Amino acid sequence: MAEFLTDVEELRAKARRELNKGPVTEAYGADVDRVIDVLNVALATEVVCTLRYRQHHFAAKGLDGETVANEFLVHSNEEQEHADKLAARIAQLGGKPDYDPTTLATRAHSQYETSSDLTEMIRENLVAERIAIQSYTEIINWLGTGDPTTRRVFEDILSVEEEHADDMLNLLEKS
């Protein structure tokens, strides 16, 4: 069995080296630049989802329009929280969150789809949630033990995305 901790003097010396890297120490087991790139793609995905849900919130009409619109607003706010968590992690790793609106939609995994049909709005949101679930599951598996903090951020977001998919499926079945 390997030693649990480095000698305390060596541990202290390592902590003083490369102070400008903040939380990214020699123990970090992932490619930080690649992780930041992946986080920025996820950020773009969450921003597009936030905007799509928000647009659907205001466009939802019909018999169940108000109920569904309220659900869209809740989801929009939660997607914004996801974007904020991802941007915070990017900054923490020394990167810059990419909010460039000219490339946002092309970097996102999900699409910005609008409709005047309530059922179609629900369907498009379910599709987007399923895309997020698939891509975030792949990211979690890819990160493995290399970056447990980023992995936990994605795990937390994934659990909410699964709830969103379930909500959209329930709404779709009612429509």
Side-chain angles (χ1 to χ4, degrees), residues 18-52:
E18 299 179 329
L19 285 175
N20 61 331
K21 290 187 176 182
V24 181
T25 68
E26 291 177 14
Y28 186 81
D31 176 346
V32 71
D33 293 329
R34 181 69 180 121
V35 170
I36 290 168
D37 289 344
V38 168
L39 282 161
N40 266 313
V41 169
L43 174 62
T45 301
E46 293 297 326
V47 170
V48 166
C49 287
T50 299
L51 296 173
R52 187 189 57 258

Side-chain angles (χ1 to χ4, degrees), residues 12-119:
R12 290 174 183 160
K14 284 181 180 180
R16 292 182 187 288
R17 287 194 291 266
E18 299 179 329
L19 285 175
N20 61 331
K21 290 187 176 182
V24 181
T25 68
E26 291 177 14
Y28 186 81
D31 176 346
V32 71
D33 293 329
R34 181 69 180 121
V35 170
I36 290 168
D37 289 344
V38 168
L39 282 161
N40 266 313
V41 169
L43 174 62
T45 301
E46 293 297 326
V47 170
V48 166
C49 287
T50 299
L51 296 173
R52 187 189 57 258
Y53 270 122
R54 189 66 50 134
Q55 192 278 333
H56 288 175
H57 164 72
F58 289 108
K61 304 284 185 237
L63 189 59
D64 294 320
E66 186 176 343
T67 301
V68 175
N70 289 337
E71 190 68 24
F72 289 162
L73 181 59
V74 168
H75 288 208
S76 177
N77 290 335
E78 290 172 343
E79 300 292 353
Q80 183 60 56
E81 290 173 16
H82 298 167
D84 292 345
K85 287 179 184 180
L86 293 165
R89 184 61 180 157
I90 292 165
Q92 189 177 50
L93 291 173
K96 291 185 172 78
D98 187 352
Y99 283 98
D100 183 348
T102 61
T103 61
L104 198 63
T106 60
R107 290 182 285 115
H109 286 167
S110 61
Q111 296 171 297
Y112 182 85
E113 297 289 338
T114 62
S115 176
S116 58
D117 180 72
L118 194 58
T119 301

Side-chain angles (χ1 to χ4, degrees), residues 7 16-17 19 32 35 44 65 81 88 94 97 102 115 119-121 123 125 132 136 140 143 150 156 159 173:
D7 171 82
R16 292 182 187 288
R17 287 194 291 266
L19 285 175
V32 71
V35 170
E81 290 173 16
T102 61
S115 176
T119 301
E120 189 58 28
M121 289 178 198
R123 185 175 285 115
N125 285 312
Y136 295 171
I140 289 164
L143 286 166
T150 301
D156 290 345
S159 69
E173 289 172 348

